[in-house]
Amino acid sequence: MFSFEEKVIPLDTWITNFIDWLVEGYRWFFQILKWPVEVTLTGIQQGITALPPLLVIAVLGIVAWRVSGIKLGVFTVVTLIFIGLLGLWEDTMITLAMVLCSVVFCTLAGIPLGILAGRSDRFEMALRPMLDAMQTTPAFVYLVPIVMLFSIGNVAGVLATIVFALPPIIRLTSLGIRQVHPELVEAALAFGATNWQVLAKVQIPLALPTIMAGLNQTIMMALSMVVIASLIGAGGLGAPVVLGLNTLDIGLATIGGLSIVLIAIVLDRITQSMGTTKKQN
Amino acid sequence: MAQIEIKNLFKIFGTNPTAGLDLVRAGKTKEEIHEQTGLTVGVQDASFTVNSGEIFVVMGLSGSGKSTLVRMLNRLIDPTSGAVIVDGDNVMEMNKEQLVAFRRNKTSMVFQSFALMPHQTVLNNVAFGLELAGVDKTQRYERSMDALKQVGLDGWEKSYPKELSGGMQQRVGLARGLAVDPDIMLMDEAFSALDPLIRTEMQDELLKLQDRHERTIVFISHDLDEALRIGDRIAVMEGGRVVQVGTPEEILQNPADDYVRAFFRGVDPTGVIAAGDIARDSQPTVIWHTPQGSPRATLEMLNNRDMEFAYVLDSERRYYGIVSTDSLRSAIEQGATKIDDAFIKEAKTAKVDDSMQDFLPEVASHAWPIPVVDENNIYQGVVSKNLFLRTLHRAEENAHFAE
């Protein structure tokens, strides 16, 4: 038995059977789960692609200018025009929609979970191995069950992205809450704050810069999933990369990759300055 | 009138505190319990009362349990056993809502580290307690501005805490405590983080505020000078126990044990012991406007008793002056019939709350014992040279004994 020449624990078969059982019996349940993501994604995507490109560029440029400065504003406008001229405008908008959609769900789930983890050691302990697994499990491993349960396409891509991009915002929200000086919490309690008041008036405002850093990281992680999501049929900037890879079209793969990097830089700078302006106030 | 009453309060930190409680009650020491069970005894069997309107200082070295004790008064830390009774209500039995209401209306707290919200302006920090209590904005800001004025910080309301110096930040902390207009203020080493000059200034400020509006203040301190300076009464804590409660004079003159004595070593007793504490009614007195109060009768009485000085009072024991055998004799020779002709001109009185330091020159430069009177000029007794020296000597002796 301990010569390790044969498989003794057939874990792989068990897992296969388990997934088969899930797919056969409970696919309807996962389709229900999929529904809100689908609605949100379609909404964002239709909205953003319906807008004239120059308007989108102007809006993003102005946002960058307001939160950071004229330099980032100009950089954003130039970058987006460049991507448009590369012929990747539509793919970029799909990617933006997918990233935005994943970030919406990551924020909705991540901030409350992070707050809970920040206020309870036990919850944090239970959560941490799950977050580790979500961040380190190679995406290819969960792509197959995701396809089986949710079928292929943009929505499945967004779900895979959420799995990968959710941990940072949870971790950093928890960290932010924990970094609030205990004396400030004590002072609030001493003046008769309820639990909610401690959270709303002390912990969240003071944790906000850290939470924003978490949001920034979540956006970056979501962008890094763009190519992998394309493997299960999601569109966007990952598609030319995967296509280029399959057809050995180096040029196509490169402009796809370059656009992802440029979009990442723009989003990173914008969200980072959002975090720091909050801190200065 | 007692405002806060603490009865047999215990706090044991650890996973199974009740087990520790049994051990403490069985007479085990803090160290033995820690060794046996890993539990830490924070406060053991503390009982005392705080009167309304007084500054009650809880003094002890770090680790003596004083910060734990003050946090049990508003249950920032839940006691393991015992009762805290404030205005007749047992704080221990309050549910969540009652406790929140109690903290909003009855008490406020000032912290060593100031604990100001860095993301809020000074005004919003001061208004914090009122905001929590749901007071509307205009009233909230009005009361906060008033509190800022009381601590001398009007004009700074739009600044952020980090723009202020430490002393000013603690004034904001003080204003935050005042704005909710509490009956009781808990001050946890409130001035300890400030440098000595600012600390004295803040102590004066506190006394001034107390003059204008008397509140019950429980003040935690490790600084003896501070305790003596502002405390109406002091509780000395050691190793979680309250070893002595009393006025500064009582504790200084009569320390309960070596620990208290050691604490007070190096304190100049003349600055703390007041005339009223040591005055004795040891000298003959005569009542004016009575036959006995005539110069001749008084001289006769002094001669008979072989005493040199007599203190002249009226029937309500109001003090008028001192006569000596010499002054009486010369007045009689000049034909005086009233005793005030024999008063010693340079005689001065000491007030009951004058410290020994204050009237030391009087005692040193005159032959007669210095009369002590209260604020209504009622005679309380005298302090003689002999008594003065004996008091000094006893305080010294206490100090040396501890070394």
Side-chain angles (χ1 to χ4, degrees):
Chain A
M1 186 179 176
F2 290 107
S3 59
F4 301 134
E5 273 158 20
E6 277 163 49
K7 179 151 56 184
V8 178
I9 306 173
L11 183 62
D12 49 348
T13 326
W14 295 345
I15 290 171
T16 311
N17 291 343
F18 174 69
I19 297 292
D20 286 347
W21 171 76
L22 268 187
V23 173
E24 260 166 54
Y26 297 93
R27 200 161 190 274
W28 56 271
F29 174 72
F30 289 94
Q31 293 297 321
I32 293 174
L33 275 189
K34 183 179 159 179
W35 182 77
V37 179
E38 193 162 14
V39 172
T40 313
L41 179 62
T42 337
I44 296 174
Q45 200 175 320
Q46 274 171 1
I48 209 167
T49 44
L51 294 174
L54 285 180
L55 181 65
V56 175
I57 294 176
V59 168
L60 282 173
I62 288 169
V63 168
W65 174 42
R66 297 309 311 173
V67 300
S68 169
I70 192 69
K71 255 166 121 183
L72 186 63
V74 171
F75 177 78
T76 304
V77 170
V78 170
T79 303
L80 290 175
I81 290 176
F82 175 67
I83 291 173
L85 295 176
L86 289 177
L88 293 173
W89 182 258
E90 205 183 324
D91 284 335
T92 307
M93 287 307 105
I94 293 173
T95 292
L96 265 186
M98 283 174 67
V99 167
L100 207 60
C101 180
S102 343
V103 168
V104 165
F105 282 97
C106 285
T107 309
L108 286 181
I111 291 182
L113 284 171
I115 289 170
L116 283 177
R119 301 184 107 200
S120 152
D121 286 337
R122 202 174 290 176
F123 188 69
E124 165 114 341
M125 285 244 291
L127 202 61
R128 200 181 289 162
M130 277 176 63
L131 298 181
D132 291 339
M134 284 162 79
Q135 280 188 299
T136 52
T137 311
F140 298 105
V141 174
Y142 52 81
L143 283 184
V144 178
I146 281 182
V147 169
M148 288 168 83
L149 292 166
F150 299 103
S151 58
I152 59 164
N154 286 352
V155 178
V158 168
L159 286 164
T161 306
I162 290 174
V163 171
F164 188 62
L166 183 58
I169 196 160
I170 298 181
R171 284 188 207 272
L172 282 156
T173 302
S174 166
L175 179 70
I177 298 284
R178 280 167 193 277
Q179 274 175 343
V180 172
H181 221 289
E183 269 141 12
L184 295 179
V185 174
E186 195 178 45
L189 288 173
F191 279 91
T194 59
N195 251 330
W196 276 111
Q197 286 177 322
V198 170
L199 192 62
K201 297 196 187 290
V202 183
Q203 288 180 316
I204 291 182
L206 288 171
L208 206 57
T210 316
I211 295 176
M212 289 306 289
L215 185 69
N216 170 275
Q217 284 305 297
T218 287
I219 292 175
M220 293 298 103
M221 302 284 247
L223 268 169
S224 72
M225 279 295 281
V226 163
V227 174
I228 290 170
S230 294
L231 291 176
I232 53 170
L237 287 171
V241 175
V242 172
L243 186 64
L245 201 64
N246 289 340
T247 57
L248 293 182
D249 185 341
I250 296 171
L252 183 63
T254 309
I255 57 164
L258 182 65
S259 303
I260 293 174
V261 172
L262 289 175
I263 288 291
I265 292 174
V266 167
L267 291 182
D268 177 59
R269 298 299 181 272
I270 291 179
T271 49
Q272 243 177 33
S273 10
M274 277 161 88
T276 46
T277 41
K278 287 272 190 274
K279 205 182 241 167
Q280 276 156 5
N281 283 342
Chain B
M1 195 193 83
Q3 181 145 41
I4 308 173
E5 217 175 317
I6 289 168
K7 289 180 184 162
N8 307 99
L9 210 56
F10 284 88
K11 177 65 196 180
I12 291 159
F13 295 102
T15 40
N16 184 12
T18 36
L21 203 56
D22 295 336
L23 290 172
V24 177
R25 292 213 168 109
K28 301 268 187 196
T29 67
K30 205 174 155 175
E31 289 73 25
E32 285 171 338
I33 293 169
H34 186 73
E35 211 163 283
Q36 256 181 48
T37 59
L39 298 169
T40 308
V41 180
V43 171
Q44 50 174 311
D45 208 9
S47 299
F48 55 78
T49 56
V50 180
N51 298 324
S52 109
E54 76 175 342
I55 300 184
F56 187 89
V57 180
V58 179
M59 197 180 58
L61 299 174
S62 59
S64 61
K66 54 194 193 307
S67 283
T68 308
L69 184 75
V70 73
R71 279 169 176 70
M72 291 198 284
L73 300 184
N74 61 358
R75 276 182 58 195
L76 285 177
I77 293 177
D78 264 315
T80 311
S81 138
V84 175
I85 292 157
V86 176
D87 292 333
D89 298 324
N90 191 347
V91 182
M92 295 306 104
E93 284 163 3
M94 289 182 181
N95 62 27
K96 253 188 186 168
E97 289 76 36
Q98 289 170 318
L99 190 60
V100 163
F102 168 77
R103 288 170 176 168
R104 282 178 185 172
N105 305 324
K106 270 272 153 71
T107 66
S108 71
M109 203 161 176
V110 183
F111 297 86
Q112 179 175 12
S113 61
F114 319 142
L116 301 175
M117 305 300 157
H119 62 295
Q120 297 279 20
T121 59
V122 164
L123 185 63
N124 276 325
N125 263 294
V126 174
F128 187 65
L130 297 169
E131 187 190 342
L132 293 177
V135 176
D136 72 74
K137 217 170 190 169
T138 41
Q139 207 190 343
R140 188 160 93 205
Y141 285 158
E142 201 175 295
R143 283 170 67 178
S144 304
M145 285 304 294
D146 186 51
L148 274 173
K149 225 168 269 163
Q150 284 184 53
V151 300
L153 272 187
D154 35 342
W156 289 91
E157 62 273 5
K158 291 204 178 75
S159 311
Y160 282 87
K162 66 176 173 211
E163 296 162 16
L164 306 182
S165 69
M168 287 162 86
Q169 287 190 36
Q170 194 56 305
R171 280 171 195 266
V172 178
L174 198 55
R176 176 173 66 180
L178 292 170
V180 293
D181 195 21
D183 298 338
I184 299 166
M185 276 179 86
L186 307 174
M187 306 189 67
D188 180 24
E189 302 243 14
F191 305 147
S192 300
L194 306 173
D195 61 64
L197 260 174
I198 308 287
R199 194 184 309 164
T200 326
E201 200 182 303
M202 292 296 285
Q203 289 161 0
D204 292 345
E205 189 79 47
L206 184 69
L207 293 173
K208 211 170 15 167
L209 289 168
Q210 190 71 353
D211 256 359
R212 271 184 246 150
H213 184 150
E214 249 181 30
R215 298 171 202 278
T216 306
I217 296 178
V218 178
F219 196 106
I220 306 298
S221 180
H222 65 262
D223 178 357
L224 180 65
D225 290 332
E226 184 168 73
L228 297 176
R229 198 140 185 261
I230 64 173
D232 292 317
R233 285 194 306 143
I234 299 176
V236 183
M237 285 192 78
E238 184 215 356
R241 287 175 313 116
V242 175
V243 278
Q244 193 171 11
V245 180
T247 62
E249 295 83 357
E250 277 165 15
I251 295 182
L252 200 63
Q253 289 201 63
N254 221 341
D257 63 12
D258 287 355
Y259 178 81
V260 181
R261 208 170 280 133
F263 220 119
F264 283 81
R265 183 175 56 204
V267 172
D268 177 5
T270 58
V272 181
I273 301 176
D277 298 320
I278 52 173
R280 299 266 175 83
D281 195 3
S282 58
Q283 295 290 318
T285 55
V286 289
I287 307 296
W288 208 359
H289 305 310
T290 60
Q292 193 207 10
S294 71
R296 277 175 200 283
T298 305
L299 184 60
E300 181 70 18
M301 189 250 320
L302 285 177
N303 283 335
N304 284 344
R305 291 216 215 160
D306 193 21
M307 302 287 264
E308 207 185 339
F309 300 101
Y311 294 75
V312 182
L313 314 174
D314 69 8
S315 55
E316 280 159 50
R317 293 186 70 78
R318 261 189 290 271
Y319 166 84
Y320 284 91
I322 306 174
V323 292
S324 68
T325 46
D326 287 344
S327 74
L328 287 166
R329 245 179 237 121
S330 60
I332 292 165
E333 273 164 23
Q334 285 164 25
T337 52
K338 279 197 273 168
I339 200 162
D340 51 342
D341 294 329
F343 282 176
I344 300 173
K345 302 258 170 341
E346 54 275 32
K348 285 197 187 113
T349 57
K351 295 266 182 296
V352 271
D353 48 5
D354 283 353
S355 68
M356 288 171 75
Q357 241 161 28
D358 295 335
F359 64 93
L360 171 64
E362 281 296 303
V363 176
S365 55
H366 299 302
W368 54 88
I370 304 303
V372 179
V373 298
D374 71 4
E375 59 269 30
N376 300 320
N377 207 33
I378 305 290
Y379 175 80
Q380 305 291 316
V382 296
V383 178
S384 63
K385 276 198 182 75
N386 197 355
L387 182 61
F388 194 96
L389 289 173
R390 263 210 325 268
T391 310
L392 268 188
H393 177 66
R394 200 172 55 213
E396 290 277 286
E397 204 173 41
N398 284 335
H400 286 305
F401 189 74
E403 281 177 49

